[in-house]
Amino acid sequence: MRELYPPIEPYNQDYLSVSVLHTLYYEQSGNPEGTPVVVLHGGPGGGSLPDYRRYFNPQKWRIILFDQRGCGKSTPHAELQDNTTWDLVADIERLRTHLGLEQWVVFGGSWGSTLSLAYAQSHPERCQGLILRGIFLLRSQELNWMYQEGASYIFPDTWEEYVKPIPLEERDNFLSAYYRRLTSDDPQVRREAAQAWSVWEASTSKLFPDLNLMEKFADDRFADAFARIECHYFINLGFFDSEDWFFQNLDRIRQIPTAIVQGRYDLVCPMKTAWEVHRAWPEADFQVIADAGHSMAEPGIRSALIEMSDRFPV
């Protein structure tokens, strides 16, 4: 079982203005002459973590992290205006150009896998490879499972906390009910909804509940961006033209060397989606971790991702 590489500090930290409104934080660590890899964090709205640097051999990789619009150290915080999948795809290209890179490996899990695939299909010539985890295509069936009914059968206790802010008469559509509260002008309404939404996801992310993760997700500042931006994307179905967007454009990326890691017991992004991707895209390496849930920090998922980063690019 592989452990994370030792902690490292960035050799470069800066900000990149991507619009009149939005400015992104980005950083670089590892080997400035190494193979560039850009890490696309989850959420949307989750922001980057220092541990993301530790999935890569710092002698081999030029590790690039950035906080997507509205979250982490990017500004303005929790902003929904001009914040769509296609804005983020354009931001990734701006960052690549800004750094003077011809190609890079794209690494992303959960929402990061969605964004990785959307970026790759838009700019396949810029992708040297893809390393993906917890496949999520942002289809209504996936959202209904997590936020309307399905996962409640597995986590009925934590589900009770998730539904508390929503009155009975609005529970036929939790996404809409939460969106109204997360965009409320009342700070207390917004705070209560953001914490309930965020802690629900933290409660379901690991095979064994992680109280430290739940505490992090309950933090007011983190929860505000995480819940608002997630709900904004989810109620708009990721701003995709079709729920079949990935399969319709698969041939654009079929040739890109790709590795996929999926936890068998991932309840946030259930394996059914990853399996459908695997069946449609057999050229991609596909690994199922038998004793893992959703989080990239699950021991089996962590180990598999490090092994993949060690052998990439192929």
Side-chain angles (χ1 to χ4, degrees):
M1 193 68 69
R2 297 292 301 276
E3 298 295 331
L4 295 173
Y5 282 97
I8 55 172
E9 294 299 317
Y11 65 77
N12 169 240
Q13 295 173 285
D14 208 343
Y15 289 86
L16 177 66
S17 176
V18 291
S19 76
V20 173
L21 180 61
H22 288 278
T23 299
L24 305 186
Y25 166 81
Y26 73 90
E27 64 174 55
Q28 301 184 80
S29 57
N31 181 356
E33 303 302 320
T35 301
V37 57
V38 61
V39 179
L40 305 185
H41 65 69
S48 295
L49 295 173
D51 273 356
Y52 292 173
R53 308 168 195 149
R54 302 177 61 193
Y55 285 78
F56 308 93
N57 181 338
Q59 302 303 314
K60 170 183 176 181
W61 292 96
R62 178 178 175 181
I63 307 157
I64 301 156
L65 275 58
F66 76 96
D67 293 331
Q68 296 159 27
R69 295 190 181 201
C71 65
K73 298 177 183 178
S74 294
T75 60
H77 187 72
E79 179 60 60
L80 304 183
Q81 182 179 336
D82 300 332
N83 197 339
T84 73
T85 300
W86 307 113
D87 290 316
L88 301 187
V89 166
D91 290 348
I92 298 168
E93 265 299 273
R94 288 189 187 96
L95 181 59
R96 182 194 62 78
T97 302
H98 177 71
L99 296 176
L101 302 173
E102 287 297 316
Q103 284 190 316
W104 49 10
V105 173
V106 182
F107 179 104
S110 192
W111 157 253
S113 77
T114 320
L115 185 56
S116 296
L117 292 168
Y119 172 76
Q121 290 184 347
S122 300
H123 302 282
E125 72 284 356
R126 300 305 180 188
C127 298
Q128 191 172 351
L130 302 173
I131 302 176
L132 308 174
R133 184 265 314 167
I135 298 297
F136 178 46
L137 299 183
L138 226 157
R139 299 175 297 180
S140 56
Q141 62 186 6
E142 299 168 64
L143 297 173
N144 287 338
W145 160 266
M146 183 64 184
Y147 297 102
Q148 189 60 40
E149 183 178 19
S152 65
Y153 285 85
I154 312 298
F155 287 93
D157 47 352
T158 49
W159 180 258
E160 286 187 5
E161 299 302 314
Y162 166 72
V163 304
K164 267 185 181 179
I166 310 302
L168 290 173
E169 62 270 20
E170 295 184 58
R171 292 184 180 179
D172 60 326
N173 190 326
F174 281 110
L175 281 183
S176 293
Y178 262 101
Y179 189 72
R180 284 190 288 274
R181 286 156 179 80
L182 291 167
T183 55
S184 171
D185 292 330
D186 185 328
Q188 182 56 35
V189 169
R190 183 165 151 176
R191 183 181 306 112
E192 181 186 17
Q195 288 184 339
W197 175 286
S198 299
V199 172
W200 163 243
E201 184 157 331
S203 301
T204 56
S205 285
K206 290 190 174 183
L207 192 59
F208 298 105
D210 184 337
L211 295 179
N212 290 330
L213 184 65
M214 295 178 206
E215 184 177 343
K216 174 185 182 297
F217 274 52
D219 174 79
D220 284 345
R221 179 175 171 80
F222 176 87
D224 189 37
F226 184 77
R228 271 170 55 84
I229 296 173
E230 274 204 339
C231 196
H232 167 69
Y233 273 72
F234 294 171
I235 203 167
N236 287 289
L237 292 176
F239 304 93
F240 293 108
D241 292 335
S242 164
E243 291 201 25
D244 290 328
W245 63 273
F246 167 76
F247 300 100
Q248 290 171 353
N249 297 289
L250 175 56
D251 285 344
R252 291 181 57 81
I253 63 171
R254 193 178 294 277
Q255 78 288 352
I256 298 174
T258 300
I260 298 170
V261 178
Q262 178 70 36
R264 169 72 70 179
Y265 299 106
D266 187 336
L267 295 180
V268 179
C269 299
M271 185 176 147
K272 182 177 184 290
T273 297
W275 186 252
E276 291 173 1
V277 169
H278 166 60
R279 298 296 288 173
W281 193 9
E283 297 89 349
D285 182 79
F286 182 68
Q287 292 188 40
V288 177
I289 309 303
D291 57 351
H294 177 69
S295 172
M296 69 189 292
E298 299 270 30
I301 293 177
R302 178 194 68 221
S303 183
L305 290 173
I306 293 170
E307 287 181 3
M308 289 176 176
S309 75
D310 278 353
R311 67 179 176 84
F312 255 72
V314 296

